[in-house]
Amino acid sequence: MGDETAKDALTRRGFLGVSSATLAAASVLGAEKLAAQETAGPKTISDKSRSDPGPTNSVLDAQNPSANHPLPTDAGGVQTFKYPFSFAHKRLQEGGWSREVTQRELAVSKSLAGVDMRLTAGGVRELHWHTASEWAIMLYGDARITCIDLQGKSFVTDVTKDELWFFPPGIPHSIQGLGPDGCEFLLVFDDGNFSEYETVLLTDWMAHTPPDVVAKNFGVSQSALANFPKKEYFIFQADLPASLEEDKRVAAGTLGMSPIDFAFRTMKYPATMSNKSGEVRIIDSKSFPVTTTSAAMVTLKPGGLRELHWHPNADEWQFFYAGQGRMTVFTTGGRARTQDFQSGDVGYIQKTLPHYIENTGTTDLKFLEMFKSPIYEDLALSEWLAHTPPELVMAHLHLDKATLDALPRNKPLIMPD
Ligand code: MN
Ligand code: MN
């Protein structure tokens, strides 16, 4: 929001001074065209018109300045692309809790859904699987994860802060919080309609299978199964597990351990790029072969800008986990909307729509960009303009050659670089 030039101010006054004939014409324009005309307006609107004397939620208004005082470049009805985990129902049980943001909460988020989960030390997310794939990042503490691969070979490991795991659809797995204080992690599923309430749970399955069938299936007596739970556990409190080496050894048995690494040690690799305004770590199937979900972990220092860009291959699901920022999503027909994000918020951008993210706070802004695609892809405005014949670009934007020559040519991802 730079200073208005005299020419800009005159243009806006000119807009306010439109003739009644123009206003009449505007009234028959479609909503999108009207929205486009709004872009010339808001800065010139008087304080009296901006006033808000009725009831309001001042705390939420303060967290959402871009809604309360829309930028003059915002226009039209762009579907909301923000939902805070703070609004989500918390399913609380002995051993921990979970809360989810799916398409039911955030209607635009069709391709991915997220779950935020807390497990105490010893708390177990019980043995289960689901139809969607599960990408995860540890946000706090430590956990032991287990699964088996398609050959029935076991995988058991411990994960700590910033480390990832990935379980393909139908692969059975578990998560257990370790000492001293368990863990909290984010799960991302490659289906906007996913729900943690709709997973195949070991206890639920056994509670709904005739006991004589289970006994015959295992070749044991029915009386030996008398203590089976009668309903699902989902999350429950258990004792801390044995040492990792012991758990690996007994789970592997004579079959041996899986050759597949379902975990990714994020911080053992250098950042994909870093400069004075932040860093980006891109993790996709090129570095983490088992995953079909790609990710960028972004840190923006105060004032840093994730440059104007878009993704040609997939929608983007975001999770903000430190600091505060704002994002504008531009869409067709002269429509654009800016929303503000705080730690714990989910954001979403439909495939190919242009956007930027800017740190508006005084501390580092950290967020994840997630894609339902094994390969991460983006295109930046700066690289587009830098690699198009300059006369053509100048004819569009009325830039002089010196300015055009000064644009970044190496796709910095984060500015100022
Ligand atoms: Mn799962
Ligand atoms: Mn993006």
Side-chain angles (χ1 to χ4, degrees), residues 118-179:
R118 163 80 168 137
L119 295 174
T120 59
V124 177
R125 170 66 174 98
E126 78 159 279
L127 288 158
H128 73 285
W129 72 83
H130 25 74
T131 55
S133 66
E134 171 176 321
W135 183 99
I137 182 168
M138 187 58 73
L139 301 171
Y140 166 84
D142 298 272
R144 178 156 307 167
I145 58 175
T146 77
C147 74
I148 60 168
D149 68 16
L150 292 174
Q151 277 65 52
K153 294 183 173 182
S154 85
F155 175 81
V156 183
T157 199
D158 291 350
V159 285
T160 192
K161 189 173 181 332
D162 293 322
E163 295 185 339
L164 316 182
W165 69 81
F166 185 84
F167 296 130
I171 291 292
H173 55 276
S174 67
I175 308 155
Q176 183 171 22
L178 299 176

Side-chain angles (χ1 to χ4, degrees), residues 39-308:
T39 59
K43 262 197 178 176
T44 60
I45 290 174
S46 66
D47 287 346
K48 189 174 174 184
S49 295
R50 291 175 185 279
S51 62
D52 183 8
T56 191
N57 184 327
S58 55
V59 175
L60 276 181
D61 281 349
Q63 284 191 356
N64 296 279
S66 302
N68 205 25
H69 304 286
L71 298 177
T73 42
D74 276 8
V78 177
Q79 188 176 16
T80 186
F81 45 85
K82 168 182 175 171
Y83 194 94
F85 266 109
S86 297
F87 289 0
H89 169 67
K90 196 176 263 182
R91 181 178 181 180
L92 181 61
Q93 299 188 197
E94 205 58 60
W97 51 257
S98 82
R99 54 185 181 178
E100 62 189 16
V101 175
T102 73
Q103 195 179 343
R104 292 173 293 282
E105 287 77 28
L106 181 59
V108 71
S109 63
K110 289 187 178 144
S111 74
L112 296 158
V115 169
D116 174 24
M117 190 175 290
R118 163 80 168 137
L119 295 174
T120 59
V124 177
R125 170 66 174 98
E126 78 159 279
L127 288 158
H128 73 285
W129 72 83
H130 25 74
T131 55
S133 66
E134 171 176 321
W135 183 99
I137 182 168
M138 187 58 73
L139 301 171
Y140 166 84
D142 298 272
R144 178 156 307 167
I145 58 175
T146 77
C147 74
I148 60 168
D149 68 16
L150 292 174
Q151 277 65 52
K153 294 183 173 182
S154 85
F155 175 81
V156 183
T157 199
D158 291 350
V159 285
T160 192
K161 189 173 181 332
D162 293 322
E163 295 185 339
L164 316 182
W165 69 81
F166 185 84
F167 296 130
I171 291 292
H173 55 276
S174 67
I175 308 155
Q176 183 171 22
L178 299 176
D181 187 35
C183 59
E184 185 175 340
F185 47 90
L186 177 80
L187 305 171
V188 182
F189 299 92
D190 65 349
D191 175 3
N193 264 320
F194 177 83
S195 172
E196 274 286 276
Y197 289 85
E198 293 160 20
T199 63
V200 179
L201 307 178
L202 175 61
T203 55
D204 197 24
W205 186 15
M206 293 301 95
H208 294 96
T209 305
D212 59 308
V213 171
V214 180
K216 187 186 288 183
N217 184 73
F218 290 147
V220 299
S221 73
Q222 203 172 316
S223 61
L225 308 175
N227 293 329
F228 262 25
K230 299 290 182 278
K231 64 188 276 287
E232 69 177 46
Y233 279 164
F234 183 66
I235 288 172
F236 64 99
Q237 185 63 49
D239 295 332
L240 282 169
S243 76
L244 178 59
E245 289 316 307
E246 178 64 6
D247 264 6
K248 279 184 166 178
R249 189 183 63 78
V250 294
T254 54
L255 199 56
M257 289 183 283
S258 175
I260 299 168
D261 194 350
F262 293 88
F264 185 80
R265 312 296 175 183
T266 315
M267 292 304 160
K268 292 194 172 156
Y269 301 88
T272 308
M273 66 73 53
S274 66
N275 63 26
K276 67 182 185 192
S277 297
E279 66 169 41
V280 179
R281 291 169 186 274
I282 293 169
I283 302 147
D284 64 11
S285 59
K286 291 176 188 166
S287 53
F288 185 20
V290 74
T291 193
T292 53
T293 297
S294 51
M297 293 173 69
V298 181
T299 299
L300 292 180
K301 293 185 178 159
L305 178 76
R306 173 75 177 87
E307 70 172 317
L308 286 157

